[in-house]
Amino acid sequence: MSTVGNGAHILVYPYPAPSHIIPLLDLTRLLLTRGFTVTVLVTPKHLPILQPLLSTHPSTSIQPLLLSHPPKPPNSGLIAKVRASSELYHPILQWFRSHPNPPVAIVSDFFLGWTNNLARQLGLPRVVFWPSGAFAASVLDSLWRNLPRNDEPHNDDFLINLTSVPNSPVYPWWQLSEVYREYVEGDPDFEFFRNSFLDNSESWGILFNSFSDLEQIYIDHVKKELGHTRVWAVGPLLPPDDVGSATRGGQGAVSHHEVMTWLDSKAVDSVVYVCFGSRGVLTSKQTEALVAAIQHSGVHFIWAVKANGKGHVANDAGAILDQFEERVGPKGFIIRGWAPQVAILRHRAVGAFLTHCGWNSVLEGLAAGVAMLTWPMGADQFTNAKLLVDQIGVAVRACEGGDQFVPDSTELARLLAESVSETEPKRTRMMQLCDAALNAFTGGSSSMDLEDFLNRLGELQRKEL
């Protein structure tokens, strides 16, 4: 790749949640290595996630812009958080106008569609960053644009057919985004959220954390819907090595060395990695069912569990896990808190991944070439599972459902045991896709898309849009 940045200044604005911040910081790292100057807008709470980049690049290349969102009511939902973020419109505008070398473009998360109006006022291009894939983006765009409704309000299994999306995916009502299902037409907050979302289609360009061999049909669909080709698939965005992955997303609950040493003692493809993302919390009944399934399967496992800063797990699950850990001994490794997931998945001993199908986890699993068992619980996870299981055939549907769902531990035990079997039939297809993911960034489609995107950014400093 050529170095085309020439110091061009870019404002990067992630939505303030780890699953959104981390991949956008992976993109930021690529911008920095190509000679761009980057300001990253973060809340003080999430500044630690940015520290690895701040500590490895000069302050002349990267600076944080610390702005706090206004206080929100306790347990407020996504719409309130997005609305609160828009209160930063004028502080950001003031920062731009007072900066001696203001950014030439804004790259912001898809939840921050309101920044497109900010970019317009400043006369700058806004680029939408999707930390999820083009399939999920197509589904959400279809929902918010066309507003299909449940004609049987008391039937959560009512089917919604999205005929405007390639392959015409069908979802029972309960699998659609919770925010969408709660939409109230005319409500100011909901209408703000919808309009902010639709503003993504009006933005100058779109970046997907994906790659063409995984989602070409949906990438082409987005280009057709937008009527232009400023759509780039630049994924999978991952740290280049295990050293970088050890601090990606924050300080781990256990040392990288400790996890790797435990894995080094296990046979190739013998370990199942279990994780439900940075926000997923199982109920006590779900925890009990999964404990029974793992124990009956006899597999070696690492289980990363969401915990607070002191390593405490919510509700009764903590006591259940403590007892389970004592019973399984060296066959299991339970991590209470943040885990070095990329490094774990890349280890030769890990053969399977029980995942909630968050997009970061999907890409990390694909890039590592591990078999995947899907347990989607909400958000875009049902769409991601549909892609993996039904459309490209690289994963097995283990179960699906949120708080009210409890898996059949006997059936789940069978699937866990089969997932590390050498005869697992989906492994060949998975390894092909793994190679495609790795090749995409070594001269393949993603590296070419990134090259084109960065060249266009570099040109912004040399011409007036």
Side-chain angles (χ1 to χ4, degrees):
M1 292 185 179
S2 60
T3 51
V4 297
N6 296 323
H9 187 187
I10 310 298
L11 176 66
V12 168
Y13 184 4
Y15 177 74
S19 60
H20 291 245
I21 297 172
I22 291 170
L24 191 43
L25 291 188
D26 287 332
L27 176 68
T28 298
R29 175 179 52 80
L30 295 175
L31 292 173
L32 293 170
T33 59
R34 296 293 303 279
F36 288 87
T37 299
V38 182
T39 295
V40 183
L41 196 164
V42 291
T43 61
K45 174 184 176 181
H46 292 108
L47 180 60
I49 301 180
L50 185 57
Q51 285 302 334
L53 278 180
L54 295 177
S55 63
T56 53
H57 293 85
S59 59
T60 52
S61 296
I62 181 170
Q63 283 284 333
L65 174 58
L66 295 176
L67 294 175
S68 297
H69 293 173
K72 303 175 292 296
N75 302 316
S76 58
L78 175 62
I79 287 182
K81 293 175 182 176
V82 171
R83 193 66 187 262
S85 73
S86 71
E87 296 295 320
L88 298 184
Y89 186 108
H90 291 291
I92 297 171
L93 187 66
Q94 183 178 12
W95 174 81
F96 258 93
R97 289 175 170 169
S98 63
H99 199 286
N101 176 34
V104 297
I106 298 173
V107 179
S108 59
D109 189 273
F110 76 96
F111 276 144
L112 306 173
W114 58 265
T115 58
N116 189 50
N117 293 325
L118 172 69
R120 281 176 174 170
Q121 185 169 351
L122 290 165
L124 301 177
R126 182 249 175 165
V127 180
V128 188
F129 179 76
W130 278 87
S132 48
F135 183 20
S138 299
V139 167
L140 285 173
D141 183 72
S142 178
L143 288 174
W144 286 110
R145 190 169 300 282
N146 301 313
L147 298 177
R149 306 311 294 164
N150 185 347
D151 294 335
E152 302 173 10
H154 300 295
N155 179 14
D156 282 344
D157 291 322
F158 183 82
L159 296 180
I160 301 293
N161 189 341
L162 303 181
T163 56
S164 64
V165 178
N167 294 317
S168 298
V170 178
Y171 297 89
W173 180 254
W174 66 270
Q175 288 189 2
L176 299 181
S177 159
E178 182 178 3
V179 173
Y180 177 76
R181 284 184 282 125
E182 294 176 349
Y183 170 71
V184 178
E185 187 174 359
D187 179 276
D189 287 343
F190 276 104
E191 295 300 342
F192 172 85
F193 184 88
R194 181 185 182 223
N195 290 331
S196 181
F197 192 93
L198 295 178
D199 275 339
N200 290 327
S201 297
E202 303 300 321
S203 297
W204 180 77
I206 294 181
L207 286 167
F208 287 114
N209 184 17
S210 189
F211 57 102
S212 62
D213 281 351
L214 180 62
E215 294 196 291
Q216 187 65 63
I217 187 173
Y218 300 109
I219 296 167
D220 289 342
H221 169 71
V222 172
K223 290 179 180 178
K224 181 179 178 181
E225 289 291 296
L226 296 180
H228 63 74
T229 59
R230 292 187 300 277
V231 177
W232 302 278
V234 296
L237 293 166
L238 298 170
D241 51 44
D242 287 349
V243 175
S245 70
T247 56
R248 182 174 179 252
Q251 187 64 40
V254 296
S255 74
H256 180 268
H257 174 75
E258 184 180 359
V259 181
M260 294 299 106
T261 299
W262 186 88
L263 285 169
D264 287 344
S265 69
K266 308 304 176 187
V268 175
D269 291 339
S270 66
V271 175
V272 177
Y273 176 59
V274 179
C275 183
F276 302 105
S278 60
R279 302 186 63 175
V281 178
L282 298 185
T283 65
S284 295
K285 289 184 177 180
Q286 289 173 331
T287 303
E288 289 174 344
L290 183 50
V291 161
I294 293 174
Q295 189 160 2
H296 293 156
S297 72
V299 298
H300 295 263
F301 68 93
I302 292 181
W303 186 350
V305 186
K306 179 176 170 57
N308 63 21
K310 297 180 180 179
H312 296 152
V313 179
N315 57 52
D316 296 334
I320 297 169
L321 289 171
D322 290 343
Q323 296 167 9
F324 182 45
E325 195 170 29
E326 291 179 7
R327 292 199 304 272
V328 298
K331 292 195 72 169
F333 192 121
I334 296 177
I335 301 173
R336 295 166 177 82
W338 193 260
Q341 180 162 294
V342 172
I344 290 171
L345 289 170
R346 286 173 175 173
H347 196 282
R348 59 174 180 76
V350 176
F353 182 15
L354 177 59
T355 172
H356 68 311
C357 297
W359 192 247
N360 289 328
S361 291
V362 165
L363 291 181
E364 290 160 10
L366 288 175
V370 299
M372 283 193 273
L373 301 176
T374 68
W375 182 351
M377 299 176 181
D380 64 341
Q381 297 159 22
F382 296 105
T383 295
N384 299 339
K386 189 183 290 288
L387 177 70
L388 294 175
V389 176
D390 300 327
Q391 297 188 14
I392 57 178
V394 296
V396 172
R397 182 176 285 107
C399 38
E400 54 186 15
D403 290 350
Q404 304 305 313
F405 168 79
V406 179
D408 180 327
S409 58
T410 301
E411 174 63 11
L412 186 52
R414 181 185 69 81
L415 293 173
L416 288 169
E418 288 182 355
S419 70
V420 290
S421 167
E422 293 181 2
T423 60
E424 169 58 48
K426 298 185 185 299
R427 285 190 181 275
T428 300
R429 174 63 180 137
M430 173 60 83
M431 291 311 301
Q432 291 172 343
L433 202 55
C434 172
D435 289 341
L438 299 177
N439 291 336
F441 238 111
T442 54
S445 60
S446 292
S447 62
M448 289 188 287
D449 270 20
L450 180 66
E451 177 76 4
D452 183 59
F453 169 64
L454 296 182
N455 273 307
R456 296 205 190 197
L457 284 187
E459 291 171 0
L460 296 177
Q461 182 141 307
R462 298 187 291 274
K463 69 178 183 180
E464 186 173 331
L465 290 176

